[in-house]
């Protein structure tokens, strides 16, 4: 009999100490179930987070009653399977204890054939408080381990950091952009699985060597059998079939089958080609009878992390199918504090946003979760490469044997679960721990080492090495041998001396540059502190007014209000936004204007960073800003807010990530250089037109020059002397407009200003918007009689414009289109915008 299964529904829950049962939804968690039953207020509203910290201090239990279909009862093997239990749980079926769980990131199963009955089975799961479970471990260890982002004080624990003991999403304990909600519950599917004779438990398509002419594969088929027998294993995909006779042994074994595909359709990242996918089906046959089958989808590609020594240090880039790829993208965090609230549509919205922003990579950061399968499936489909962290971040971890064994199994399970996804191009051990502890630099790091004795430090570092230099790389090597492993981000190299730890001027490895923001360095330092691969950097802004009003009232609209401080998790965040705004921008007229201005400020900072990184290719070959998304409505570094609304930065990123791009910089000698940059493989032959306009739209000066650019490169294609071009004009009253043209078609355009925004002489004017004839409200032409900066267009209807927060130069019209997101298809669809509101920077200023 082939495998069958039954998903377990009909759940109820309660606090263990209470008597009243309440309806529960699985997958879910205690917080969402309490909210659904009206027992708590919206956790994200105002300061409600502070009032809900009691939830993680008590034990909870979930119960389901179910009947079992006769077909399932007839299975020789009947297992209770949980894809995810959060986190410390004891499971009882019909009064018998069947398993205990202690890791949110692992799957759990138990053979219940002898316990289950046809009707009225009672399944009870008792979740122990993660806080109460782990507090005694601090006393046993004898000291607290560093956990910088664990908001223990908010949780009522003082300095007691318990997050490091639990194999549970670190961000649940708070972060500098997220709230502290330490959840419990059944967060992935729960089911009964039955099978007889044998079943295929796993299929792995190992890509031994893949080129344009041939893909050499080894298909690993993991089989679980009740007893020994002889059969056939058949693998098929498209028009290819491979068969192998196999002697099946009792228990678990793996059958290897070699497979060759000539002229494979390769998987490419977005921008370089199609993200072609193959579905491989493995069948287990007894004669002509099909005993079991299982499918695996993958894309055929070769990937390398290239770290070759050169005259400047060593490279750090991804080579896909033999092509060096400049990685463009962002760091991804979980899309919600309550993970099961994230629908497939919300995942698609994020990945489509990445595609529409011209990205080709997302980093799944180590303080969240190993993402749901749909996330990776979408990245596979859309050609978004994934830098995958293991779930360790900004903390040191215990090294007792039970913890290490737990981590080892977690690593094996998750590497096996994700290894067929062509999008996963790197496994990284952790986020920022190597540089934070800085073992080989006595005065380096975040000051953690100084809190411990020399003996304690030796133990803590040995435990670190056990996890990140032994257990995790061993799991990757054993189960995904063709995927690179990187021990910590950022890091220079695994040298075992002071040269291991990254710093902002490292010429090897990857860099997290936070001098801008945390150290209040000027934006201009983005042009100077450029590494080989920029895996983190960022600048904060507030979400737009409509989003702020989902958690605040008009009375809360002040930077220092209790509610606004509660929705700013970085202690100095609001002050830093204001401090940088005073340096670069004019003063906003009120708080809603401050929200807009904060977004423009963030966007300008990220534009400067991204384009500096791209201008410096091939020295720099990656730029992943912090961060793509939010887990609740908050002031943060995100380019999209919690509701998926694009901030100004996301539109800027889309332009600065364009596959072929024009970018300007200025030397200390006053030379303005125009760069042409392309990630595409074909060379570009065209022309560059530079036009100097005054703010009324008068052409002051113009230059056209031929451009020749190699594929996959960056080069200076023109230079002008600032003094010559500004002769007779105020620097704050003119704008340089560049157009990169090929056969008369504009490939890209950019503006360049000779002063900071605060010194630009803006004046009020009239922006005209008209519907493009025949577009039925989906396309609009905009023009202005004076320079209009950061034009913000809002539609009456749900959806978004293809461009926003752009500058309008008089005489240079702009056409934008409006669409709604087609969540269940590959692309957005044109839609009528309804009434359109248009504003620009001048409308938000206190005075000009």
């Amino acid at each position: 009999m082939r495998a069958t299964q039954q998903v377990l529904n009909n759940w109820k829950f309660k606090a263990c100490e209470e008597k009243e049962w309440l309806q529960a939804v699985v997958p879910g968690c205690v917080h969402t179930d309490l909210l659904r039953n009206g027992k708590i207020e919206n956790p994200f509203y105002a300061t409600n987070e502070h009032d809900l910290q009691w939830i993680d201090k008590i034990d909870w239990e979930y119960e389901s009653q179910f009947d079992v279909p006769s077909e399932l009862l007839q299975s020789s093997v009947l297992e209770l399977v949980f894809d995810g239990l959060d986190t410390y749980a004891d499971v009882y079926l019909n009064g018998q204890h069947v398993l205990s769980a202690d890791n949110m990131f692992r799957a759990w199963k138990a053979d219940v054939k002898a316990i289950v009955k046809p009707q009225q089975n009672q399944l009870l799961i008792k979740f122990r408080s993660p806080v109460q479970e782990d507090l005694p471990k601090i006393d046993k260890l004898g000291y607290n381990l560093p956990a910088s982002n664990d908001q223990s004080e908010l949780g009522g624990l003082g300095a007691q950091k318990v997050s490091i003991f639990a194999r549970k999403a670190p961000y649940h304990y708070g972060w500098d952009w997220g709230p502290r909600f330490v959840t419990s519950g059944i967060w992935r599917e729960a089911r009964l699985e039955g099978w007889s004779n044998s079943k295929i438990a796993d299929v792995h398509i190992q890509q031994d060597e893949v080129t344009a002419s041939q893909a050499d594969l080894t298909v690993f088929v993991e089989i679980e059998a009740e007893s020994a027998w002889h059969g056939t294993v058949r693998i098929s995909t498209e028009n290819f079939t491979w068969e192998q006779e196999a002697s099946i042994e009792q228990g678990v074994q793996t059958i290897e089958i070699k497979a060759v595909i000539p002229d494979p359709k390769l998987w490419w990242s977005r921008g370089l080609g199609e993200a072609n996918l193959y579905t491989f089906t493995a069948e287990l046959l007894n004669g002509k009878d099909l005993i079991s089958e299982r499918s695996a989808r993958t894309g055929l590609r070769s990937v390398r992390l290239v770290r070759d020594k050169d005259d400047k240090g060593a490279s750090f880039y991804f080579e896909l199918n033999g092509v060096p790829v400049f990685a463009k993208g962002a760091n991804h965090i979980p899309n919600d504090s309550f993970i099961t609230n994230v629908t497939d549509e919300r995942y698609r919205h994020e990945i489509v946003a990445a595609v529409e922003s011209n990205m080709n990579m997302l980093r799944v950061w180590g303080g969240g979760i190993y993402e749901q399968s749909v996330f990776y499936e979408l990245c596979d489909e859309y050609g978004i490469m994934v830098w995958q962290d293991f779930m360790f971040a900004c903390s040191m971890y215990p090294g007792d044997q039970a913890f290490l064994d737990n981590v080892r199994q977690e690593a094996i399970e998750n590497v096996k679960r994700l290894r067929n996804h062509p999008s996963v191009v790197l496994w990284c051990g952790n986020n920022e721990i190597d540089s934070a502890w800085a073992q080989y630099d006595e005065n380096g790091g975040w000051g953690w080492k100084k809190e411990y004795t020399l003996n304690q430090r030796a133990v803590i570092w040995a435990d670190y090495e056990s996890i990140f230099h032994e257990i995790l790389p061993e799991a990757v090597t054993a189960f995904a041998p063709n995927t690179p492993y990187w021990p910590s981000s950022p890091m220079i190299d695994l040298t075992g001396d002071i040269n291991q730890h990254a710093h902002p001027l490292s010429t090897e490895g990857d860099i997290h540059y936070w001098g801008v923001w945390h150290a209040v360095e000027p934006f201009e330092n983005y042009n100077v502190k450029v590494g080989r691969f920029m895996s983190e950097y960022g600048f904060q802004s507030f979400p737009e007014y409509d989003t702020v009003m989902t958690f605040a009232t008009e009375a809360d609209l002040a930077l220092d209000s209790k509610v606004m401080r509660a929705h700013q998790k970085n202690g100095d965040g609001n002050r830093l936004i204001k401090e940088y705004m005073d340096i670069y921008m004019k003063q906003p007229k009120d708080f809603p204007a401050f929200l807009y201005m904060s977004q423009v400020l963030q966007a300008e900072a990220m534009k400067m960073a991204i384009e500096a990184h791209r201008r410096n290719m091939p020295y720099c070959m990656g730029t992943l800003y912090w961060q793509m998304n939010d887990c609740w409505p908050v002031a943060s570094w995100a380019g999209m807010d919690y509701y998926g609304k694009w901030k100004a930065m996301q539109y800027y990123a889309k332009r600065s990530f364009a596959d072929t791009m024009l970018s300007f910089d200025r030397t200390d000698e006053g030379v303005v250089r125009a760069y042409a940059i392309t990630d595409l493989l074909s060379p570009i032959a065209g022309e560059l037109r530079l036009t100097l306009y005054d703010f009324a739209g008068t052409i002051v000066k113009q230059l056209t020059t031929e451009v020749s650019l190699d594929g996959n490169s960056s080069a200076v294609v023109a230079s002008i002397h600032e003094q010559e071009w500004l002769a007779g004009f105020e620097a704050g009253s003119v704008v340089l407009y560049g157009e990169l043209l090929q056969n008369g078609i504009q490939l890209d355009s950019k503006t360049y200003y000779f002063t900071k925004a605060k010194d630009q002489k803006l004046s009020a004017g009239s922006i005209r918007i008209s519907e493009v004839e025949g577009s039925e409200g989906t396309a609009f032409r905009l023009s202005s009689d004076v320079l209009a900066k950061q034009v913000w267009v809002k539609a009456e209807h749900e959806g978004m414009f293809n461009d926003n927060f752009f500058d309008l130069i008089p005489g240079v019209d702009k056409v934008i289109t409006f669409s709604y997101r087609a969540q269940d298809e590959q692309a957005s669809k044109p839609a009528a915008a309804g009434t359109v509101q248009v504003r620009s920077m001048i409308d938000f200023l206190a005075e000009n």
Side-chain angles (χ1 to χ4, degrees):
M1 187 187 78
R2 291 167 63 184
T4 56
Q5 65 178 42
Q6 176 185 3
V7 176
L8 300 178
N9 296 309
N10 191 31
W11 291 89
K12 56 186 179 180
F13 84 112
K14 67 178 182 67
C16 290
E17 60 195 25
E18 300 288 338
K19 292 184 178 179
E20 180 191 7
W21 288 94
L22 302 169
Q23 290 300 115
V25 172
V26 170
C29 73
V30 170
H31 291 73
T32 52
D33 286 329
L34 288 170
L35 179 62
R36 195 176 292 107
N37 282 276
K39 297 298 183 181
I40 61 173
E41 298 296 321
N42 178 359
F44 294 163
Y45 188 75
T47 60
N48 288 348
E49 173 200 0
H50 302 173
D51 301 325
L52 300 179
Q53 297 304 309
W54 58 272
I55 296 173
D56 61 40
K57 311 296 189 301
I58 62 177
D59 300 339
W60 299 88
E61 54 189 340
Y62 279 70
E63 184 182 276
S64 176
Q65 291 193 351
F66 59 92
D67 299 336
V68 181
S70 58
E71 181 186 16
L72 200 53
L73 279 173
Q74 291 166 16
S75 303
S76 299
V77 180
L78 192 55
E79 292 176 319
L80 181 62
V81 181
F82 298 96
D83 288 337
L85 292 173
D86 177 18
T87 291
Y88 298 112
D90 291 299
V91 181
Y92 301 85
L93 181 60
N94 296 331
Q96 292 191 44
H97 180 267
V98 294
L99 67 85
S100 293
D102 62 355
N103 189 323
M104 174 182 177
F105 303 127
R106 289 174 56 187
W108 301 90
K109 66 181 181 180
D111 186 347
V112 295
K113 175 68 175 177
I115 303 172
V116 79
K117 54 189 182 180
Q119 294 180 318
Q120 295 184 331
N121 292 278
Q122 184 185 51
L123 179 59
L124 178 67
I125 307 176
K126 292 190 175 183
F127 290 95
R128 304 190 302 282
S129 157
V131 171
Q132 308 294 1
E133 180 80 9
D134 288 335
L135 273 172
K137 296 176 184 176
I138 297 176
D139 292 333
K140 184 177 180 181
L141 186 63
Y143 47 83
N144 266 293
L145 286 168
S148 297
N149 285 281
D150 184 327
Q151 296 171 12
S152 54
E153 290 190 4
L154 175 61
L157 304 179
Q160 305 287 79
K161 310 284 189 181
V162 297
S163 58
I164 48 92
F165 296 106
R167 291 313 299 146
K168 172 175 174 58
Y171 85 110
H172 283 170
Y173 296 83
W175 218 266
D176 58 1
W177 37 257
R180 185 186 187 278
F181 293 120
V182 184
T183 55
S184 291
I186 308 165
W187 75 287
R188 282 179 172 157
E189 187 178 272
R191 63 186 177 276
L192 277 177
E193 280 188 5
W195 57 276
S196 299
N197 192 346
S198 299
K199 74 165 182 176
I200 298 175
D202 186 56
V203 178
H204 174 214
I205 314 301
Q206 181 172 294
Q207 304 185 33
D208 301 320
E209 185 174 3
V210 176
T211 66
S213 60
Q214 183 169 295
D216 294 324
L217 314 172
T218 303
V219 182
F220 292 89
V221 183
E222 184 180 298
I223 298 169
E224 194 169 349
E226 279 190 277
S227 58
W229 62 287
H230 193 79
T232 304
V233 179
R234 181 165 66 202
I235 309 296
S236 58
T237 184
E238 298 191 354
N239 297 321
F240 301 96
T241 301
W242 304 269
E243 289 189 358
Q244 183 170 303
E245 296 297 307
S247 294
I248 311 298
E249 303 294 332
Q250 183 181 15
V252 178
Q253 67 252 256
T254 300
I255 306 297
E256 299 181 25
I257 299 178
K258 293 292 183 180
V260 175
I261 297 180
D263 303 316
K265 294 173 289 184
L266 298 179
W267 185 90
W268 290 98
S269 58
R270 188 219 59 80
L272 290 182
E274 294 298 314
N276 295 299
L277 296 169
Y278 288 79
T279 297
F280 290 80
T281 300
E283 297 170 300
L284 186 56
L285 303 164
N286 186 358
K288 293 185 178 181
D289 295 334
L290 178 62
I291 304 302
S292 180
E293 69 176 341
R294 190 181 184 100
S295 293
R297 189 177 71 160
T298 194
L300 302 181
R301 88 290 186 269
S302 66
V303 64
R304 286 201 308 144
L305 175 62
V306 181
R307 298 195 299 119
D308 292 339
K309 293 290 184 182
D310 57 27
D311 59 349
K312 297 183 177 67
S315 64
F316 191 107
Y317 66 87
F318 293 91
E319 182 188 86
L320 185 65
N321 302 323
V323 175
V325 181
F326 189 102
K328 303 179 297 187
N331 287 261
H332 158 92
I333 66 170
N335 276 301
D336 207 292
S337 291
F338 309 115
I339 296 161
T340 54
N341 281 347
V342 187
T343 61
D344 288 2
E345 288 74 23
R346 284 175 66 182
Y347 276 116
R348 185 174 293 275
H349 177 78
E350 180 191 4
I351 303 308
V352 169
V355 171
E356 293 184 348
S357 300
N358 296 309
M359 295 179 177
N360 59 20
M361 178 175 278
L362 290 171
R363 175 186 175 218
V364 178
W365 163 82
I369 63 169
Y370 305 95
E371 269 295 353
Q372 308 283 36
S373 295
V374 63
F375 174 89
Y376 303 99
E377 291 164 3
L378 288 166
C379 288
D380 292 345
E381 292 169 15
Y382 284 99
I384 299 296
M385 296 181 290
V386 174
W387 168 316
Q388 177 68 52
D389 282 8
F390 285 97
M391 292 302 114
F392 300 89
C394 303
S395 308
M396 301 303 286
Y397 292 87
D400 58 275
Q401 197 58 49
F403 187 86
L404 296 181
D405 290 344
N406 203 350
V407 167
R408 181 177 289 104
Q409 192 58 38
E410 168 192 324
I412 291 170
E413 287 187 24
N414 284 284
V415 170
K416 288 180 69 174
R417 180 171 77 91
L418 301 181
R419 62 187 174 180
N420 282 325
H421 291 286
S423 54
V424 177
V425 298
L426 180 75
W427 280 95
C428 178
N430 68 69
N431 177 73
E432 295 188 337
I433 307 178
D434 182 88
S435 55
W437 182 261
Q439 170 71 9
Y440 305 108
D441 183 355
E442 186 58 32
N443 297 312
W446 299 356
W448 287 354
K449 296 193 300 289
K450 300 184 186 304
E451 302 296 319
Y452 302 93
T453 67
L454 290 177
N455 286 340
Q456 288 170 343
R457 285 162 58 164
V459 170
I460 292 169
W461 182 247
D463 293 342
Y464 173 94
E465 290 192 307
S466 293
I467 296 172
F468 302 108
H469 298 172
E470 296 173 20
I471 291 172
L472 300 185
E474 286 169 2
V476 175
T477 299
F479 297 99
N482 294 323
T483 304
Y485 174 79
W486 187 239
S488 181
S489 179
M491 198 180 78
I492 295 175
D493 196 4
L494 198 58
T495 60
D497 59 27
I498 197 170
N499 297 311
Q500 180 165 306
H501 313 308
H503 54 82
L505 295 176
S506 300
T507 60
E508 300 183 29
D510 68 317
I511 288 176
H512 293 190
Y513 172 53
W514 285 103
V516 175
W517 186 257
H518 290 302
V520 205
E521 294 179 17
F523 289 171
E524 289 75 14
N525 276 12
Y526 280 131
N527 293 319
V528 179
K529 298 187 177 180
V530 178
R532 310 309 292 260
F533 195 105
M534 306 299 292
S535 44
E536 267 195 36
Y537 58 92
F539 193 89
Q540 271 202 5
S541 74
F542 277 81
E544 65 178 71
Y545 175 82
D546 292 349
T547 293
V548 170
M549 295 311 292
T550 65
F551 64 79
T553 66
E554 290 287 342
D556 300 317
L557 298 185
L559 270 183
D560 60 351
S561 74
K562 188 176 180 181
V563 169
M564 221 52 64
R565 291 199 310 272
H567 287 256
Q568 168 57 271
K569 287 293 186 171
N570 181 241
D572 287 334
N574 291 351
R575 177 187 64 79
L576 285 169
I577 295 172
K578 178 69 166 62
E579 186 172 341
Y580 274 103
M581 194 176 294
D582 289 343
I583 296 171
Y584 289 99
M585 313 290 285
K586 299 178 189 290
Q587 291 301 307
K589 64 181 181 182
D590 53 24
F591 193 78
F594 179 86
L595 301 179
Y596 164 91
M597 294 286 280
S598 78
Q599 290 200 17
V600 170
L601 182 69
Q602 176 193 38
E604 290 287 341
M606 292 299 91
K607 173 181 182 288
M608 188 175 293
I610 292 168
E611 295 192 10
H613 303 156
R614 294 194 67 195
R615 286 195 302 268
N616 277 280
M617 73 180 293
Y619 176 82
C620 178
M621 284 296 286
T623 178
L624 307 178
Y625 64 75
W626 186 270
Q627 67 209 59
M628 183 72 183
N629 54 327
D630 274 328
C631 68
W632 74 317
V634 66
S636 82
W637 296 270
M640 291 194 305
D641 72 20
Y642 172 71
Y643 298 102
K645 297 176 183 176
W646 285 30
K647 296 183 183 178
M649 169 182 146
Q650 199 67 41
Y651 291 99
Y652 270 58
K654 176 180 179 177
R655 297 193 285 267
S656 294
F657 281 147
D659 292 335
T660 298
M661 182 185 71
L662 187 62
S663 180
F664 292 101
D665 77 350
R666 180 187 181 278
T667 69
D668 292 339
E669 293 75 31
V671 175
V672 177
R673 298 181 295 191
Y675 286 74
I677 303 154
T678 186
D679 297 325
L680 305 180
L681 305 184
S682 300
I684 292 172
E687 62 181 21
L688 172 67
R689 182 187 302 148
L690 298 177
T691 307
L692 187 68
Y693 290 91
D694 67 18
F695 285 2
T698 302
I699 295 177
V700 174
K701 198 174 182 70
Q702 196 167 56
L703 167 70
T704 301
T705 183
E706 290 186 357
V707 169
S708 179
L709 181 69
D710 292 337
N712 206 13
S713 71
S714 166
V716 175
V717 292
S719 297
I720 63 170
H721 289 276
E722 187 177 80
Q723 285 187 333
E724 293 178 12
W725 278 59
L726 288 180
F729 293 90
E730 282 189 81
S733 64
V734 292
V735 56
L736 182 66
Y737 180 62
E739 299 171 272
L740 186 61
L741 305 165
Q742 189 173 41
N743 299 323
I745 298 172
Q746 188 184 91
L747 299 180
D748 193 33
S749 65
K750 281 282 166 60
T751 53
Y752 175 83
Y753 294 91
F754 296 87
T755 62
K756 296 175 182 176
K758 68 183 299 182
D759 298 322
Q760 291 162 14
K761 311 294 184 184
L762 300 183
S763 58
S766 175
I767 299 175
R768 296 173 296 281
I769 182 168
S770 58
E771 185 179 319
V772 173
E773 187 176 348
S775 72
E776 299 180 342
T778 67
F780 300 87
R781 182 178 299 276
L782 291 91
S783 60
S784 179
D785 55 2
V786 297
L787 177 76
K789 293 205 65 179
Q790 284 92 20
V791 174
W792 184 23
V793 189
K794 287 194 74 175
E796 173 189 5
H797 297 153
E798 193 71 24
M800 64 177 290
F801 290 97
N802 70 321
D803 202 0
N804 221 328
F805 292 93
F806 48 79
D807 293 357
L808 274 179
I809 299 172
V812 183
D813 291 1
K814 177 84 173 179
V815 175
I816 59 175
T817 59
F818 185 78
S819 61
Y820 66 82
R821 189 75 69 203
Q823 303 283 18
D824 57 346
E825 297 180 21
Q826 291 284 316
S828 302
K829 299 291 184 183
T835 303
V836 175
Q837 181 184 34
V838 183
R839 288 171 288 179
S840 70
M841 173 73 77
I842 196 77
D843 300 313
F844 295 93
L845 300 181
E847 59 181 354
N848 190 37

